[in-house]
Amino acid sequence: MTARSVNTRFRAYQLDTAGGSFSYYSDGHFTLVEARYSDANEQSLLQEMKICGVKALSTLHITSWDQDHCAPSQLERILGKLQPSLVEYPGYEPHTESGVESLKIIKTYKQYKKSNAKTVSITPAFIKELDKAKSYGYKNVFYHPKSLDDECANNNSTVKQFRSGSFNVLSLGDVESTHISAGLRRQRTIHSETDIMILAHHGANNGFTTSGFLKHVRPTAAIAISNYGNQFNHPKPEIRALLHKNNIDLFTTKTGDIIVRSIVGHTGSYEILNLKAGSTEVSSSRVFVAKKQKFLNQNTDTIRNRIHHPYRGRKK
C-alpha cells in the first residue's frame, strides 16, 4: 500500500448571497458540491473546470434541499449548461416549495438525458447497502443519513468524504445534532483521514461542531462560506474559538475564493490559497501534508498495527 500520485483540487467559491458552493477534482473526475450557479461564482467555476481540463461535470452532489444549497433556477442552469453525468441528491422528502421544485427538475433531467445520466437519492437504505470503507483508501464514502429526522430537516443532510484524491475533504451539509457528531467522529476514516473539513451549517454554533468532535477528527483546515457582507457572521465566534483552541487553521470565503491544490508530485503535499475577492491574486497561502501520505509512507508493520488497532481518541 503506497500513496498514489493524483492531481487533486478543491475550491470554495465566494457567493453574493447566503449559501455554499464547492468543487472537488481528482483523477479526471470533477464534482460540484451544491446546486449554486450565479453571476457570483460562474466565472470562477468555469475557470476551475478549464484548469482541470473538463467541459462537463462528472457529478453534482447536493447535501440539502434548502435553497441556499439547491436553488431551482440555478439547478436548471447547471443541468443545462454543465450536464453532470451523475446527480446525487438528498434522500429525504423536500419540505419547502423550492425543494419540491428542485426534485421535479432532477427527475425531468433524468428522463431527458435517458441512459446518459444517472441520479441517486442518498437515503438510509442506500447507505446501508454500501460496502464498508477501507482505511486510507481512495474511494469516496457516504456516512449519513443513517436515519431520517422528522423534526429537523438539517439532520437529514448528506455527509460525504471525498477521498479519491491525494488529500481528503469532509462535507457535512447542515447537520446540527450532537448525536450525529458523536457518531461520525468514531468513524475511523473520518477521525484518521480528514484533511479539509467544510464546517457544518456554514460554521453555525448549532450543537454539531463540538470540542470533542474537533479533538477526535483533527482536520488540518476548516472551511467556512461567507458572502461579501457576511450578514450571518459565519463562522460564529464560539466556533472560531474552538478551532483556535484545537490548533485548526480556519479559511473563509469572505475575502475571496479558497483553492486547495496538490503539489510536488501530487502524492499528498498540498497548498491552500486564499484569493482576493473577484481576482486571481493570492492574499495568503500555506502548505501542508495529507494524513494519507504520512500514513502510507510508514513501514508495513506500522501500517498493519494502525489498521487493526485504530485510534480511539485521546485517553482521559
Side-chain angles (χ1 to χ4, degrees), residues 7-197:
N7 186 8
T8 310
R9 290 178 65 94
F10 167 82
R11 187 162 182 161
Y13 300 89
Q14 187 180 61
L15 298 174
D16 53 4
T17 59
S21 176
F22 314 90
S23 63
Y24 184 82
Y25 169 81
S26 66
D27 201 22
H29 188 105
F30 193 101
T31 297
L32 178 64
V33 181
E34 312 300 13
R36 300 301 308 277
Y37 190 53
S38 65
D39 291 343
N41 71 333
E42 179 178 24
Q43 292 306 312
S44 295
L45 176 56
L46 295 178
Q47 176 197 54
E48 188 69 13
M49 292 175 67
K50 185 177 181 180
I51 291 172
C52 295
V54 300
K55 295 183 179 180
L57 300 179
S58 302
T59 303
L60 171 62
H61 175 74
I62 305 168
T63 67
S64 165
W65 287 125
D66 286 353
Q67 193 160 356
D68 59 342
H69 294 258
C70 183
S73 61
Q74 296 179 25
L75 171 63
E76 284 189 309
R77 290 187 65 201
I78 291 169
L79 298 180
K81 187 170 183 178
L82 304 181
Q83 299 186 339
S85 300
L86 172 64
V87 179
E88 298 170 344
Y89 63 92
Y92 67 97
E93 287 298 316
H95 57 291
T96 62
E97 291 184 7
S98 64
V100 171
E101 184 180 353
S102 294
L103 181 56
K104 289 180 180 178
I105 292 170
I106 290 172
K107 290 182 176 180
T108 301
Y109 177 70
K110 181 180 179 180
Q111 294 170 354
Y112 170 72
K113 294 287 288 184
K114 296 182 180 179
S115 61
N116 294 327
K118 182 179 179 182
T119 61
V120 177
S121 176
I122 311 302
T123 63
F126 171 81
I127 291 177
K128 187 177 180 180
E129 292 299 316
L130 297 176
D131 294 333
K132 188 176 181 180
K134 294 182 179 179
S135 296
Y136 299 100
Y138 287 84
K139 185 176 182 180
N140 297 332
V141 182
F142 289 96
Y143 298 98
H144 192 75
K146 286 191 173 181
S147 62
L148 295 182
D149 186 338
D150 295 330
E151 302 297 324
C152 179
N154 283 341
N155 286 331
N156 299 326
S157 295
T158 302
V159 174
K160 181 177 182 180
Q161 189 176 40
F162 295 90
R163 306 165 71 223
S164 56
S166 55
F167 58 83
N168 295 351
V169 176
L170 179 62
S171 168
L172 294 164
D174 275 351
V175 286
E176 57 183 63
S177 167
T178 304
H179 296 296
I180 296 174
S181 173
L184 289 174
R185 78 187 193 192
R186 296 189 185 99
Q187 297 290 329
R188 186 167 60 200
T189 46
I190 287 182
H191 69 55
S192 297
E193 301 180 40
T194 300
D195 298 305
I196 308 298
M197 183 181 77

Side-chain angles (χ1 to χ4, degrees), residues 268-285:
S269 296
Y270 61 93
E271 181 180 30
I272 302 181
L273 309 172
N274 216 151
L275 304 184
K276 292 185 178 179
S279 75
T280 57
E281 187 176 351
V282 177
S283 62
S284 65
S285 66

